[in-house]
Amino acid sequence: VLFRSNDVVVVAMTPLLVQISLARGLNPIPFLLAFCFAANTGSSGTLMGSPQNMIAAQGLQLSFKGFLGVAGLPALLSLPIVWLVVAAIYRGKWKLASAPAAKGATAEPAVPFNRLETIKAGVIAIAVVLAFTFTDWPRELVALGAAAILLVNRKIAPTARARFVVKPTDATPSA
């Protein structure tokens, strides 16, 4: 979580966290709270944690390493505090009470793992970290460039594209 924007990580990983928790019979709420809190506190440690971090570092003229040196330790120290608070509040409430399955309910199919997209995102993330750490390139351009590469180079499933296609019969008003 320290190396990606916290918003992107939380949006992408929340469904997976819920699915894993429910599959194991665990209450997803403490895991979701801990995940969101840890994402916010942990992301405060790097420039890429949030756009506000980039703005603050730019205003203070801090490099990636300089910002990490100032904010990294407090971010790391906050993570065990998050764990302690959630563990204390949810003591004894980690397991779900067994509830009968709803009649006619079907489980959603699992989203297949896409190795190529995962590798692509990892390579881009490493490239951004390296550019932030070892170059003096403008951080906002590096971040925008990485986002552009990921957006332009993505694939959308045919069924997802079909939802955005307007059929000629749908566009004509009925008399």
Side-chain angles (χ1 to χ4, degrees), residues 14-24 108-111:
T14 295
L16 180 64
L17 182 60
V18 169
Q19 187 178 21
I20 291 171
S21 300
L22 292 175
R24 293 178 179 252
E108 279 190 34
V111 176

Side-chain angles (χ1 to χ4, degrees), residues 28-163:
I29 294 173
F31 293 100
L32 289 170
L33 289 174
F35 180 54
C36 291
F37 297 154
N40 281 318
T41 58
S43 70
S44 65
T46 68
L47 280 175
M48 293 183 294
S50 72
Q52 298 88 341
N53 293 2
M54 286 186 183
I55 293 168
Q58 190 171 14
L60 297 170
Q61 297 179 343
L62 288 172
S63 67
F64 184 83
K65 288 188 273 189
F67 189 88
L68 184 62
V70 171
L73 184 61
L76 282 175
L77 293 176
S78 70
L79 294 174
I81 295 169
V82 166
W83 179 81
L84 287 170
V85 169
V86 172
I89 292 172
Y90 282 90
R91 176 173 288 157
K93 301 174 189 171
W94 294 95
K95 297 258 184 198
L96 283 177
S98 59
K103 290 182 181 178
T106 58
E108 279 190 34
V111 176
F113 176 72
N114 188 326
R115 185 179 309 269
L116 180 62
E117 293 296 318
T118 303
I119 290 171
K120 181 176 66 174
V123 168
I124 296 292
I126 290 169
V128 169
V129 169
L130 292 174
F132 278 0
T133 307
F134 299 112
T135 69
D136 59 351
W137 296 343
R139 291 184 284 268
E140 58 276 6
L141 294 180
V142 171
L144 282 172
I149 290 169
L150 288 172
L151 286 173
V152 170
N153 199 8
R154 70 184 179 151
K155 292 182 181 176
I156 300 174
T159 55
R161 278 195 303 254
R163 283 186 272 157

